[in-house]
Amino acid sequence: MTELTLRLYPLPEAVRAATCSFASVDAAVQTAMLLIQLGVPLARCELLDAQAVRAVNARDRLGLRQSPMLLMEFHGSPSGVAEQVETAEAVASEQGGEGFDWADTPEQRSRLWAARHHAYLSALLMRPGCRCVTTDTCVPISRLADNINASIQEVEAAGLPYFIVGHVGDGNFHLGYLIDPNSPAEREVAERLSEQMVRRALNMGGTCTGEHGIGLHKQSFLVEEAGESSVDLMRRLKSVFDPHGILNPGKIFS
Amino acid sequence: MTELTLRLYPLPEAVRAATCSFASVDAAVQTAMLLIQLGVPLARCELLDAQAVRAVNARDRLGLRQSPMLLMEFHGSPSGVAEQVETAEAVASEQGGEGFDWADTPEQRSRLWAARHHAYLSALLMRPGCRCVTTDTCVPISRLADNINASIQEVEAAGLPYFIVGHVGDGNFHLGYLIDPNSPAEREVAERLSEQMVRRALNMGGTCTGEHGIGLHKQSFLVEEAGESSVDLMRRLKSVFDPHGILNPGKIFS
């Protein structure tokens, strides 16, 4: 890039972050889905499962309830934010959500968001020396709970240690398999589960990658998702911008 | 297109439309700019100048004040909309806005919006038999008032009948020159003014067409705006989708 044009947006007048705990991942995801379907303009909505919460508690002594948790943020005018918060509490309560924790100042918000920001590294520490194989499927928001529930059943049945963090407001979530890098068997199980997740996401009208990208590993999934002729179109479009193939060569498609 | 995927959004809980009159187009546009810069999430924001208001009054007997007018619409929760309305009234009043008219029901809103929807055809009736040459520049919102003011000065100096309607929330507006189709002189003046407007928009970091498109008439302006090499890139990108040149041939670029 040699030039960028930016559009400036004003900072929101009021910002409020909130955490809420649930008895199950399903209840947390149902809450997020309902809020989005009600049109609540969630500025951020992140999920941590019980394993992720346990991991950040262990590392940062956050003292959070060790159960699935939603982290939400609301932006707007003071009364608009108050209204969103009220709706969020009502919907979460119907799903059994409890232990609301609200934060209005930047310092308080940073403390709440630390749980999300430190989840990945904290989870790695739960199995010292492990390697994390991270999934990245994304489905229409109406299928998100089905997708996460099925993924949990599969990984529980396989017996691999794992954790979940999710940008649930986008229909996107990451399941991290914590595998022993010296165990080809564990690696194989993680790859098989990951492949099942991609197939399920595609069957639900979703995508094989929500944000991490195709890179090298998902090139065949991209073909499954978009079809040969679409991928060929992408290849030809890229070559208009990159006739000599010097921009990130070999990635996305060969 | 052979397939479309739609994302559904819920209808807003509350909708309120409003009109407000101003002593000058400048005051109306300043109001729109200030509201946007304050982060008020205007769902719609349209400008009619005094000539456009006079035209719709004459056709539809709307009885509106014959002065420049903003039509705004606010979407959200009931208290969110109330808050937006309060801010809009305060900002408009500071710019001398008066004669607020609010509408909450769909029927009331349709009545208010009739003024905007009928403006073009009503304006044509102000000069029976005329033809309308419509401009369509768009500039960054911070330059919109400058752009409209300069355009008005030019058309007033040239003495052509005209009217203005604007999607001022987008930095886009349309100035319609009402010319005698049998007068090559009037046509020439309209074309010259229109060309001046495009040059000014480009100088302000804007674009030669906000929404009407390049088509045939603005092909050389597109080259001025984007540069030869960018237009060449566009041409090659299009040919990836349309290798046989059968999609809207001859438009945008030759």
Side-chain angles (χ1 to χ4, degrees):
Chain A
M1 279 175 273
T2 57
E3 193 181 315
L4 280 175
T5 302
L6 300 179
R7 177 169 181 173
L8 300 181
Y9 290 88
L11 286 174
E13 205 183 336
V15 175
R16 189 168 239 209
T19 59
C20 178
S21 294
F22 295 87
S24 67
V25 166
D26 185 61
V29 177
Q30 295 291 350
T31 299
M33 283 169 54
L34 282 165
L35 287 173
I36 288 161
Q37 286 167 352
L38 282 168
V40 176
L42 291 166
R44 304 206 250 182
C45 185
E46 297 283 324
L47 164 77
L48 276 75
D49 73 349
Q51 292 87 292
V53 174
R54 197 168 59 237
V56 290
N57 271 344
R59 179 178 177 278
D60 292 346
R61 301 180 188 281
L62 290 179
L64 300 165
R65 288 173 187 234
Q66 301 208 352
S67 57
M69 180 172 100
L70 279 187
L71 281 136
M72 294 170 274
E73 200 166 280
F74 307 95
H75 294 177
S77 64
S79 78
V81 165
E83 214 165 30
Q84 294 177 44
V85 162
E86 199 182 317
T87 306
E89 280 209 49
V91 169
S93 297
E94 276 174 27
Q95 299 295 325
E98 46 188 8
F100 285 99
D101 192 3
W102 302 108
D104 289 304
T105 67
E107 294 77 9
Q108 289 172 325
R109 287 202 302 276
S110 297
R111 190 183 58 80
L112 287 194
W113 281 103
R116 172 63 186 92
H117 295 147
H118 300 167
Y120 179 80
L121 290 175
S122 304
L124 291 183
L125 296 177
M126 297 299 277
R127 190 179 183 186
C130 75
R131 207 184 144 262
C132 182
V133 174
T134 309
T135 70
D136 175 42
T137 60
C138 187
V139 294
I141 191 77
S142 54
R143 303 306 304 278
L144 183 62
D146 296 341
N147 192 29
I148 294 185
N149 292 339
S151 305
I152 290 175
Q153 277 178 19
E154 286 168 359
V155 65
E156 293 279 359
L160 277 187
Y162 72 99
F163 70 100
I164 290 176
V165 291
H167 315 298
V168 285
D170 302 327
N172 183 213
F173 80 104
H174 306 302
L175 195 152
Y177 307 104
L178 302 174
I179 62 168
D180 175 352
N182 299 316
S183 162
E186 287 195 10
R187 170 98 210 173
E188 203 178 293
V189 173
E191 290 294 343
R192 176 176 57 76
L193 293 176
S194 175
E195 203 170 311
Q196 283 172 11
M197 283 184 62
V198 169
R199 294 263 146 66
R200 184 170 45 249
L202 298 185
N203 285 335
M204 289 179 169
T207 177
C208 65
T209 175
E211 56 176 11
H212 294 177
I214 300 295
L216 294 169
H217 200 66
K218 290 189 170 170
Q219 298 192 350
S220 66
F221 292 143
L222 177 64
V223 175
E224 273 184 59
E225 180 175 332
E228 277 287 0
S229 62
S230 293
V231 173
D232 187 53
L233 195 63
M234 294 178 200
R235 195 181 283 114
R236 282 184 285 143
L237 287 171
K238 194 206 172 197
S239 77
V240 171
F241 290 101
D242 181 27
H244 304 297
I246 57 174
L247 303 177
N248 213 2
K251 300 292 167 27
I252 304 181
F253 24 68
S254 49
Chain B
M1 280 174 273
T2 57
E3 194 181 316
L4 279 176
T5 302
L6 300 179
R7 178 170 181 173
L8 300 180
Y9 290 87
L11 287 174
E13 206 183 335
V15 175
R16 188 168 238 207
T19 59
C20 179
S21 294
F22 295 86
S24 67
V25 166
D26 185 62
V29 178
Q30 295 291 349
T31 300
M33 283 168 54
L34 282 164
L35 287 173
I36 288 161
Q37 286 167 351
L38 282 167
V40 176
L42 290 166
R44 303 206 250 182
C45 185
E46 297 283 324
L47 165 76
L48 276 75
D49 73 350
Q51 291 88 291
V53 175
R54 197 168 59 237
V56 291
N57 271 345
R59 180 177 177 279
D60 293 345
R61 302 180 188 282
L62 291 180
L64 300 164
R65 287 173 189 233
Q66 300 208 353
S67 58
M69 181 173 99
L70 279 187
L71 281 135
M72 295 170 273
E73 200 166 280
F74 307 94
H75 294 177
S77 65
S79 77
V81 165
E83 214 165 31
Q84 292 178 44
V85 162
E86 198 182 318
T87 307
E89 279 209 50
V91 170
S93 297
E94 275 174 28
Q95 298 294 325
E98 46 187 9
F100 285 98
D101 192 3
W102 302 107
D104 289 305
T105 68
E107 293 77 9
Q108 290 172 325
R109 287 202 302 276
S110 298
R111 189 182 60 79
L112 286 194
W113 281 102
R116 173 64 186 91
H117 296 147
H118 300 166
Y120 179 79
L121 291 175
S122 303
L124 291 183
L125 296 175
M126 297 298 277
R127 190 179 182 186
C130 75
R131 205 182 147 265
C132 182
V133 174
T134 310
T135 69
D136 174 43
T137 59
C138 189
V139 293
I141 191 75
S142 54
R143 304 304 305 277
L144 183 61
D146 296 341
N147 191 29
I148 294 185
N149 292 338
S151 304
I152 290 176
Q153 277 178 20
E154 286 168 358
V155 65
E156 293 277 359
L160 277 187
Y162 73 99
F163 69 100
I164 290 175
V165 292
H167 315 298
V168 285
D170 302 326
N172 183 214
F173 79 105
H174 307 301
L175 195 151
Y177 307 104
L178 302 174
I179 62 167
D180 175 353
N182 299 314
S183 163
E186 287 194 9
R187 170 99 210 171
E188 203 178 293
V189 172
E191 290 295 343
R192 177 176 55 78
L193 293 177
S194 175
E195 203 170 310
Q196 282 172 13
M197 283 184 61
V198 168
R199 293 262 146 66
R200 183 170 47 249
L202 298 184
N203 285 335
M204 288 179 169
T207 176
C208 64
T209 176
E211 56 176 11
H212 294 177
I214 300 294
L216 294 169
H217 200 66
K218 290 188 170 170
Q219 298 192 352
S220 66
F221 292 143
L222 177 64
V223 175
E224 273 185 59
E225 180 175 331
E228 276 288 0
S229 62
S230 293
V231 173
D232 187 52
L233 196 63
M234 295 178 199
R235 195 181 282 115
R236 282 184 284 145
L237 287 171
K238 195 207 171 198
S239 77
V240 171
F241 289 102
D242 180 26
H244 305 298
I246 58 174
L247 303 176
N248 213 1
K251 300 290 166 32
I252 304 181
F253 25 68
S254 50

